[in-house]
Amino acid sequence: MSEPGVIPEDVLAELLPPDEKAEGRAVAVIECHEEIPCDTCRWVCPVKAVIKPAITTPPRCDWDACIGCGTCVLACPGLAIFMVKLDGEWAEVSVPYEFLPVPKRGEVVWALDRVGRRVATAEVVRAVTSKDRTSMVTIRVPRGLAHSVRAILPPEEGTEG
Amino acid sequence: MAHPILEFDRGREVEFNFEGRRIRAFESESIAAALVAEGILTLGWSPKRRRPRGFFCGIGKCSSCLMTVDGVPNVRTCITPVRDGVEVRRQRPLGELPKAPPPEAKAGELDVDLLVIGGGPAGLSAAIEASRLGARVAIADENVRPGGQLIKQTHKFFGSRENYAGVRGIEIARILLRELDGLSATWLTRATVIADYAGRSHDVVVSTPEGPWRIRADAVVVSTGATENMIPFPNNDLPGVMGAGGLQTLMHVFGVVPGESALIVGAGNVGLILAYQLLQAGVDVKAIVEIMPKIGGYAVHAAKVRRMGVPILLRHTLRRAVGRERVEGAEIVRVDESFRPIEGTEERFDVDMIVLAVGLTPSTEVPRQAGAAWDYVPELGGPVPIHDPYLRTSVEGMYVAGDSSGIEEATTAMLEGRVAGAHAAAELGLRPDRAEGVIKEALRQLESFRSGPFSAKVVRGKQRVWERAREVIG
């Protein structure tokens, strides 16, 4: 049985972009696989790259159309959308963030995996905050962690982030 | 501590007397919230064993915070605002009726087309639709601040664009209240409906701080929400054991965080969302325990807290709350296939809060008092008034909408409210052609929202209720 709150491996494999789609360009990774009555990602997308035929169909990203703008990362009510950009030995991972303080560019934070394990320290390359107070923080991690890092934690803080 | 989502407008500082002690508070706070903020967690005692009792539901439903205020016993202090110089004392354990007769109260009277009871998402939506169609509407709400539970929901809602998907609950409350502001509804806040004498029209008695009101209405929409469930375990009445909604009220309405560490019981959406909100408030969430073999809420809500390091322990339950005057710990235990505790698997967490997110029960006192037919429907959270798809009950002119018609979500509550409000207005002969369009569209959205597997249970319950409605509603 899979861990609660962690997408099973086989389901996750379907949600991740093939390397060539994310090489040198950021694309959305939508980790939402249940039939939830929600289609926020579909209508916020400026290039209609989110495929979602019915409100309860799990969304898919058309990675060829996705421009990596991050609008859906900031808008998703489930905080279930991330962005990944592969870049040689490195990768940039963007995560939604709703804690204080919002780390600034150049700061070093913990990179956490899907169960909160500190798998690396990472430099913040970008942080933006939407009008409705969700932030998107982009960090640089080794390429091998591109699809396992999904949260950050400021280093000096405990669990509160 | 700053909050990542909320800003608190606490208002002026006030001072009141609590058993001879002067307590400083803010005028925006309830008496109970102000006491909890001071670290006073025992708000009363149980009648027989004199066990300390504390803050639980925060919305005037559980009676755990009854105190004597300015000589008046059994005041629900969680929905009573603090005022300068007010005298508050705990009851040991029951209050005493004042010897002197109450001051002469001037009764208010009102004659409206529609009375909405409860100003949460369902009630606000009903009031908006009915007012738009030209009905004269009054809204009675028990709380100091209107908006129901929306004003505690810091997360963004799911749904479709026309139902505020991607918008935080607190912002939806602002939108609805602003919309209603532009219409001409009459608000009665801190107003508790005592009885609805339903005959050809509705003769409703309402208790307010100024005195009793009598409201005559052609139609009534009951949107009174729900009450948080309690589960049995030793020490479940210790101060520090709180309902999830009660804690949300403290944290998000009053900016009061009554502890440093928490254990949450129940991994449905409420428990999962609350865990995330506790992290945002700086609380150390030790674990979420869930007795079932899988989480009840959405995986995305679970993922949010897992990646921040919060464990979700399936097939685990709370064995007991530990502590004498307040919660000092929680002992959990694993359960077997038949939910029996497995001896030797106990584990203790040092926490000062135990939060129960174990479901809700519809608040149906008003329809039942008025004689509405009801049934026990487990899929909808317990006793619900029988209602048809237009939310009509068996009492002529009485509608029910939102959680009080069956536990569901704020989005469906808003849609049900729109149906009920528009239908009530149409029945009064107010622009029935326009009402029909509103009703049709809201019903379409309801069906779409309920189309997924997560709504299967609710849909089953609703269908049973609608079927019964064909028998009991003329």
Side-chain angles (χ1 to χ4, degrees), chain A residues 5-6 20 28 35 42 57 66 96-98 104-106 118:
Chain A
V6 181
E20 68 270 19
E35 295 164 71
R42 185 183 59 78
T57 315
C66 177
Y97 192 70
E98 292 186 335
K104 292 184 182 64
R105 181 183 174 157
R118 300 169 181 194

Side-chain angles (χ1 to χ4, degrees), chain B residues 273-327:
Chain B
I273 288 171
L274 184 86
Y276 185 74
Q277 293 170 337
L278 281 165
L279 295 174
Q280 288 177 309
V283 172
D284 182 7
V285 182
K286 299 286 189 193
I288 303 171
V289 294
E290 168 59 57
I291 198 165
M292 301 302 284
K294 63 186 200 74
I295 58 167
Y298 297 140
V300 292
H301 285 319
K304 276 185 340 193
V305 294
R306 286 308 309 276
R307 62 181 183 254
M308 297 310 288
V310 176
I312 299 175
L313 306 173
L314 301 176
R315 293 185 188 280
H316 277 74
T317 192
L318 192 60
R319 174 137 250 198
R320 62 172 56 85
V322 182
R324 289 183 66 82
E325 291 295 313
R326 61 161 304 166
V327 170

Side-chain angles (χ1 to χ4, degrees), chain A residues 25-27 68-70 73-74 81-87 90-97 102-111 121-129 135-141 149-152:
Chain A
R25 59 193 280 266
V27 290
C69 65
V73 178
L74 291 166
I81 308 183
F82 308 86
M83 279 200 307
V84 168
K85 174 185 175 185
L86 301 174
D87 189 10
W90 295 90
E92 282 183 15
V93 178
S94 305
V95 301
Y97 192 70
V102 179
K104 292 184 182 64
R105 181 183 174 157
E107 280 182 46
V108 174
V109 296
W110 286 108
T121 54
E123 192 185 321
V124 173
V125 295
R126 198 163 51 251
V128 293
T129 302
S135 296
M136 178 173 68
V137 179
T138 304
I139 55 171
R140 205 165 127 89
V141 296
V149 165
R150 286 298 177 265
I152 59 157

Side-chain angles (χ1 to χ4, degrees), chain B residues 192-204:
Chain B
T192 302
V193 169
I194 303 296
D196 175 359
Y197 298 97
R200 201 166 305 171
S201 70
H202 294 261
D203 212 340
V204 183

Side-chain angles (χ1 to χ4, degrees), chain A residues 23-47:
Chain A
E23 197 65 60
R25 59 193 280 266
V27 290
V29 178
I30 309 180
E31 300 196 358
C32 172
H33 63 290
E34 292 179 323
E35 295 164 71
I36 296 175
C38 180
D39 63 357
T40 310
C41 51
R42 185 183 59 78
W43 54 261
V44 298
C45 179
V47 294

Side-chain angles (χ1 to χ4, degrees), chain A residues 4 34 74 79 132-134, chain B residues 7 156 159 168 299 306-307:
Chain A
E34 292 179 323
L74 291 166
L79 304 185
D132 63 8
R133 301 191 178 201
T134 303
Chain B
E7 268 165 41
K156 296 176 182 176
R168 299 186 194 281
R306 286 308 309 276
R307 62 181 183 254

Side-chain angles (χ1 to χ4, degrees), chain A residues 37, chain B residues 163 389 391 408-409 411-417 419 439-452 455 459 462 466:
Chain B
N163 287 306
L391 288 313
E408 210 174 346
E409 304 203 23
T411 303
T412 51
M414 288 187 275
L415 290 168
E416 285 191 340
V419 173
I439 293 167
K440 232 171 120 180
E441 176 57 18
L443 287 176
R444 184 194 65 77
Q445 290 177 26
L446 261 177
E447 197 178 331
S448 153
F449 192 89
R450 287 173 177 158
S451 64
S455 297
V459 168
K462 285 282 180 188
W466 296 337

